[in-house]
């Protein structure tokens, strides 16, 4: 659960980050948003998200009358969001269109409105931007094409900076230790040389072959599969990877995107797709990703310093850290401040 002690009082200003406030952030999985509003917290700002026949909408989770949470209300027959305290009704633009306690012919005060936020639905996730989006969400066929069986894993609640979560996702060398027996083995820790590329809107690797031995009783780990990984960070708090079986071409795609709740708390959503094993129940893939992320989570939550150091001299970097170093430089140049030190 979200640690309420980390949050500012309702109605106060959100965390200030001129980069992240203008980014798209995941606030819930599409299937979580049905006929009732959902409450989310973006950079310590409460947001009420709801669905109508016209799509998804987001308003500041604050009735301007007496400060009640709009997300605790409901969507009425006219598809307005109703405050649970006095029944004030807000349309999708945030304008109050009805105050039940006043006469029908009385004028509704112009100040009776809720802040409207940008909201869209993509990849099985509802996204919100509390500022002005600097870019639109990219198109990734693997997470939009139903032939790849896309599904959303999570949410995963992490008591750590979102930047630490993304950097962990960029890392190759932990696969053999944090995920030993699942994604690698310490006997095969040596990484091949690989390239990292930087463009204005992303940093990414070339092909990185990783040997994943078969784990079974009596195995000498000579059996296994070589997977070709490609990792990419395409927004400050969003990344993805492809993991391709070198022999068969079977590929797993994973996107990891982070909702920054506060400076040191975040929620992670993880769309996953595959071009194989369609006969296997999706829940098995979800369960596997749950296990893998839990292994990552305990490491991330114990890292010091809690915030990601952008000074490259603050920690000892190695050539295996090429992608994470490129990530740190990239978000530093962008001006990201929340989750960094």
């Amino acid at each position: 659960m979200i640690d309420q002690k980390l949050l500012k009082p309702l109605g106060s200003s959100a965390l200030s980050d001129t980069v992240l406030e203008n980014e798209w952030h995941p606030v819930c999985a599409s299937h979580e948003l049905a006929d009732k509003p959902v409450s989310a917290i973006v950079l310590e700002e409460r947001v009420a998200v709801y669905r109508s026949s016209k799509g998804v909408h987001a308003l500041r989770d604050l009735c301007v009358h007496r400060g009640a949470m709009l997300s605790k209300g409901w969507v009425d027959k006219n598809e307005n969001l109703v405050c649970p305290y006095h029944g004030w009704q807000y349309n999708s633009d945030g304008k109050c269109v009805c105050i039940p306690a006043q006469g029908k012919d009385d004028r509704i005060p112009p100040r009776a409105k809720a802040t409207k936020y940008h909201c869209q639905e993509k990849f099985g996730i509802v996204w919100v931007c509390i500022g002005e989006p600097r870019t639109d969400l990219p198109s990734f066929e693997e997470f939009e094409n139903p032939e790849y069986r896309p599904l959303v894993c999570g949410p995963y609640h992490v008591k750590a900076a979102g930047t630490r979560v993304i950097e962990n996702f960029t890392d190759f060398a932990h696969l053999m230790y944090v995920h030993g027996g699942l994604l690698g083995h310490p006997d095969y820790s040596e990484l091949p040389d690989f390239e990292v590329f930087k463009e204005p809107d992303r940093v990414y690797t070339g092909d990185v072959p990783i040997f994943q031995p078969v784990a079974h009783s009596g195995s000498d780990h000579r059996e296994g599969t070589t997977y070709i990984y490609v990792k990419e960070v395409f927004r400050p708090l969003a990344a993805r990877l492809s993991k391709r079986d070198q022999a068969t071409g079977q590929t797993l795609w994973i996107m990891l995107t982070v909702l920054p709740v506060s400076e040191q708390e975040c929620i992670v959503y993880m769309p996953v797709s595959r071009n194989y094993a369609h006969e296997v129940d999706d829940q098995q893939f979800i369960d596997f990703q749950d296990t893998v992320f839990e292994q990552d989570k305990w490491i991330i939550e114990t890292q010091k310093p809690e915030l990601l150091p952008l000074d490259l001299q603050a920690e000892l970097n190695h050539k295996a850290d090429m992608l994470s170093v490129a990530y740190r430089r990239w978000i530093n140049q962008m001006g990201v401040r929340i989750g960094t030190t």
Side-chain angles (χ1 to χ4, degrees), residues 153 156 158 165 168-169 171 174-184 212 229 231 241 243 252 254 256 268 270 272 284-300:
C153 301
Y156 306 114
V158 185
V165 175
N168 173 79
F169 190 75
D171 186 86
H174 80 291
L175 297 177
M176 304 78 177
Y177 292 88
V178 177
H179 308 301
L182 287 179
L183 302 179
Q212 185 174 313
Y229 282 80
K231 295 191 177 187
L241 67 77
K243 177 184 177 183
L252 177 72
I254 300 175
L256 185 142
V268 177
M270 192 183 299
V272 177
Q284 292 189 31
F285 284 83
I286 294 173
D287 292 344
F288 183 82
Q289 295 306 322
D290 289 350
T291 298
V292 170
F293 192 83
E294 282 299 315
Q295 293 174 338
D296 284 318
K297 177 181 173 178
W298 79 267
I299 286 286
I300 297 168

Side-chain angles (χ1 to χ4, degrees), residues 163-164 167-168 170-171 299-300 302-319 321 324-325 327-329 339-341:
T163 48
R164 281 292 196 186
E167 184 177 73
N168 173 79
T170 70
D171 186 86
I299 286 286
I300 297 168
T302 59
Q303 285 182 279
K304 297 291 183 180
E306 291 85 351
L307 305 181
L308 187 70
L310 297 185
D311 179 357
L312 297 181
Q313 300 303 312
E315 294 181 325
L316 181 59
N317 295 297
H318 184 269
K319 69 176 184 177
D321 306 315
S324 68
V325 169
Y327 170 62
R328 292 188 185 194
R329 285 176 171 159
T340 66
T341 183

Side-chain angles (χ1 to χ4, degrees), residues 89 97-108:
Q89 300 170 21
V97 294
C98 179
I99 299 177
Q102 72 177 27
K104 293 183 179 179
D105 296 328
D106 291 346
R107 177 173 174 266
I108 295 177

